[in-house]
Amino acid sequence: MTARGVTRTTPEQRRASAVGASVWVDASAGTGKTKVLTDRVLALMLSGTRAEAILCLTFTKTAAAEMTNRILHVLGRWSTMDDAALAPEVADILGHEPDVHGLRSARRLFAAVLDLPGGLRVETIHAFCDALLRRFPIEAGLVPHFEVLDSRTADEMMAQAEHALIRAARTDADGPLAAAFAVLTRDAAEDRFDRLMKALVADRRRLKRMLDGHGGIEGAAGALRTRLGLGAGEDEATIIAEACAETAFDGAGLRAAVQSLETGSKTDTARAEAMAPWLAAPAQRADLFDEYCGAFLTKEEEARSSLITRGAGGEDSAAGRALRAEAIRLAGVRTRVRAARLAERTVALLRIGGEVLARYEAHKARRAVLDFDDLVLGARRLLERAGAAAWVLYKLDGGIDHILIDEAQDTNPDQWAVVRAIAEEFFAGEGARAVPRTIFAVGDAKQSIFSFQRADPDAFAAMRDHFAARVAEAGRSWDAVDLTVSFRSTPAVLAAVDAVFAAGLTAADGVVAAGATISHRAERVDAPGLV
């Protein structure tokens, strides 16, 4: 560090830019992620890699444009700089002084990039998948002239599918769809129902795999009920009816307990008044069940800590033991009731969601259109398809030597599957060419908790481990780098953040991996700050 802060390129950033290794970078916001990506692309080109052999995947068009502009801006400046000015910049990226040949090559990079058909390969994951499917539509099982829906049109088409389904439910008022709508509308307002449908659309492939794997909605419903411990035909009404049967509880003991409670405090007598009608009227017990449970359970449906005062006999009396046993029984019943409600609502949601998705998919098929998720899913199917996949990967293998992934924490499992398939040949023996081939990812695992695009912190860690193992098996170099120098915040703020998320404190749970620590250094070491 200098007196003012850190040098322009930190040692960690230079490690991340090392072109001979595959690198996984974990970086918080403000630590120079975009600079590291840009520097790595520049370092690869300075080391002789063809620009068209570098694929950079981002997740927004804005990020792709920013990265492209940064690279072109640097290369444009280099093309006109003299040796004295150019040498330090190239050395800052490579970590060593360039020779005359290296400086000459740096100046020529701008023209080489401008001559590339289509320009630098810095694109969103969806744009890459779109181009891949257009190149191999037949292998992907698509019509060659397919079009891609924008988000607004996709939303409108989904709304049309929902409205068609509602009309179908109204036509058959006694059918399963109408029953499913009746279940959901008891708890979900119109705007919430729309959000539920959109969430199902975003995860529709997982939904389809689940339904296909269980032979349809009925099989999935049966599996769900089994997982929840519910028997065939068991629902909320049957569970409550069974719990109200005279043989299900200690009637004599509870009636005696009511008599004891009536001699106690105001709280005791109130409990007796809640219990007596239920015990005295078997035919009305189902209707009175909630009030009866309230005498024994808290709002969280857990057994109350105190059920009888000392004046009425105390917890250790026969009345107290009868009341405690009943509270434990009712807590178990309420758990089963919640399971039944969960099953009922989930099955209703799956039934409606499955029908909406089927109609949505039919609309798209008739118009030969795909949405953004279809692009990724179609590319995944193509790359994982036996027979066709080998040919596709061979054709791609001829043009990609290095993959760089920006905002890797936002990569969902389907997107990772595409990246994994493309990179598989990188580490299989010598690959298609005897040149160093690398994968680079930069992201902030902490941001995965927002589940943007269905991102999953576990998937982020799993892919890091997958590529680390593949690189090691191939005898190549692997490096995991943490960027800890913040160029955005101040020492006081960063120290407060580190203190809040210090090891052993509960604030770190779910934000960082077990045993990991959060630590930051400020580039602006003299900047004022107060927390």
Side-chain angles (χ1 to χ4, degrees):
M1 296 179 66
T2 65
R4 295 184 60 254
V6 215
T7 55
R8 185 175 54 167
T9 300
T10 67
E12 291 84 1
Q13 289 176 327
R14 187 165 288 118
R15 275 176 56 200
S17 301
V19 297
S22 291
V23 182
W24 194 279
V25 181
D26 203 334
S28 300
T31 55
K33 291 183 287 187
T34 305
K35 172 178 168 55
V36 166
L37 277 163
T38 303
D39 284 356
R40 187 170 178 91
V41 172
L42 294 171
L44 287 168
M45 290 193 290
L46 287 170
S47 301
T49 300
R50 298 172 298 116
E52 60 268 31
I54 304 170
L55 172 63
C56 302
L57 297 177
T58 69
F59 289 91
T60 65
K61 293 180 180 179
T62 301
E66 179 183 0
M67 187 174 174
T68 300
N69 290 337
R70 284 198 186 195
I71 294 171
L72 292 177
H73 176 70
V74 172
L75 295 181
R77 287 193 305 103
W78 285 1
S79 66
T80 60
M81 292 172 69
D82 58 29
D83 287 359
L86 180 58
E89 291 202 18
V90 174
D92 188 55
I93 291 174
L94 293 178
H96 61 79
E97 293 296 330
D99 55 20
V100 175
H101 174 73
L103 293 176
R104 187 179 300 117
S105 297
R107 291 194 186 91
R108 292 173 177 171
L109 288 176
F110 185 57
V113 168
L114 291 181
D115 289 339
L116 283 177
L120 287 169
R121 301 180 70 173
V122 182
E123 50 195 324
T124 66
I125 184 71
H126 296 104
F128 172 78
C129 292
D130 184 11
L132 179 66
L133 294 176
R134 293 188 186 281
R135 187 173 177 183
F136 304 100
I138 305 303
E139 293 86 346
L142 301 172
V143 293
H145 61 279
F146 74 83
E147 296 181 1
V148 179
L149 293 172
D150 57 51
S151 298
R152 179 176 178 179
T153 306
D155 289 343
E156 291 174 351
M157 192 173 291
M158 177 59 63
Q160 292 172 5
E162 291 177 14
H163 295 156
L165 189 67
I166 292 172
R167 288 194 297 271
R170 286 177 176 172
T171 302
D172 184 10
D174 297 324
L177 279 178
F181 271 110
V183 169
L184 289 185
T185 52
R186 288 203 304 262
D187 303 305
E190 182 178 352
D191 60 334
R192 187 181 179 194
F193 175 78
D194 189 52
R195 292 198 301 272
L196 287 171
M197 290 301 102
K198 288 181 179 178
L200 280 174
V201 171
D203 242 353
R204 64 187 179 280
R205 287 300 177 237
R206 290 176 62 189
L207 174 60
K208 186 176 187 303
R209 285 196 296 268
M210 182 192 69
L211 293 176
D212 291 347
H214 291 92
I217 183 65
E218 300 307 330
L224 173 63
R225 295 175 63 80
T226 299
R227 177 66 65 88
L228 293 173
L230 297 171
E234 195 173 24
D235 59 18
E236 180 178 353
T238 61
I239 292 171
I240 292 177
E242 181 183 349
C244 293
E246 192 71 29
T247 56
F249 56 92
D250 179 10
L254 290 172
R255 290 183 176 90
V258 168
Q259 295 177 357
S260 297
L261 289 168
E262 289 173 343
T263 66
S265 67
K266 184 177 180 180
T267 302
D268 291 324
T269 57
R271 182 166 289 111
E273 290 171 359
M275 293 172 57
W278 189 86
L279 291 168
Q284 299 177 17
R285 283 176 184 166
D287 295 332
L288 299 172
F289 191 67
D290 287 343
E291 290 82 352
Y292 179 68
C293 287
F296 296 87
L297 306 178
T298 64
K299 290 182 179 180
E300 291 74 30
E301 299 192 337
E302 297 175 351
R304 294 185 181 276
S305 58
S306 176
L307 293 168
I308 186 171
T309 66
R310 289 185 180 180
E315 298 287 342
D316 293 331
S317 65
R321 290 192 294 272
L323 292 170
R324 178 61 53 193
E326 181 67 348
I328 294 172
R329 183 184 79 92
L330 292 175
V333 171
R334 299 306 295 189
T335 297
R336 293 181 63 76
V337 166
R338 289 197 300 273
R341 288 175 177 172
L342 175 62
E344 180 187 40
R345 287 153 177 74
T346 302
V347 171
L349 183 60
L350 293 178
R351 190 179 300 281
I352 292 175
E355 288 289 340
V356 168
L357 294 179
R359 293 168 187 268
Y360 176 60
E361 295 294 333
H363 286 337
K364 289 190 298 179
R366 285 195 296 269
R367 295 176 55 182
V369 295
L370 305 178
D371 61 23
F372 288 142
D373 284 337
D374 290 326
L375 295 175
V376 175
L377 296 165
R380 176 177 184 175
R381 285 197 305 270
L382 173 64
L383 294 172
E384 293 180 345
R385 180 181 170 189
W391 167 250
V392 171
L393 287 172
Y394 170 75
K395 298 295 288 184
L396 287 178
D397 202 38
I400 301 176
D401 287 335
H402 304 276
I403 301 175
L404 292 83
I405 307 162
D406 186 19
E407 300 293 356
Q409 79 279 347
D410 290 332
T411 310
N412 67 42
D414 290 316
Q415 294 165 347
W416 274 126
V418 172
V419 174
R420 185 174 60 236
I422 299 170
E424 195 62 29
E425 287 301 309
F426 281 25
F427 314 111
E430 292 299 320
R433 292 178 302 284
V435 296
R437 309 174 74 186
T438 65
I439 188 162
F440 172 92
V442 57
D444 182 4
K446 298 186 294 298
Q447 294 184 38
S448 288
I449 63 175
F450 297 114
S451 297
F452 177 64
Q453 296 195 99
R454 296 188 294 116
D456 182 350
D458 292 335
F460 182 80
M463 291 312 303
R464 177 195 61 211
D465 296 342
H466 168 79
F467 284 118
R470 296 291 288 123
V471 171
E473 290 167 3
R476 306 285 179 83
S477 297
W478 171 267
D479 197 5
V481 178
D482 291 336
L483 298 185
T484 59
V485 177
S486 173
F487 296 85
R488 183 177 301 172
S489 195
T490 62
V493 173
L494 295 175
V497 171
D498 290 350
V500 169
F501 294 99
L505 299 182
T506 56
D509 294 346
V511 179
V512 293
T517 59
I518 294 179
S519 177
H520 300 88
R521 290 182 293 149
E523 191 275 340
R524 300 158 56 197
V525 293
D526 297 324
L530 179 65
V531 176

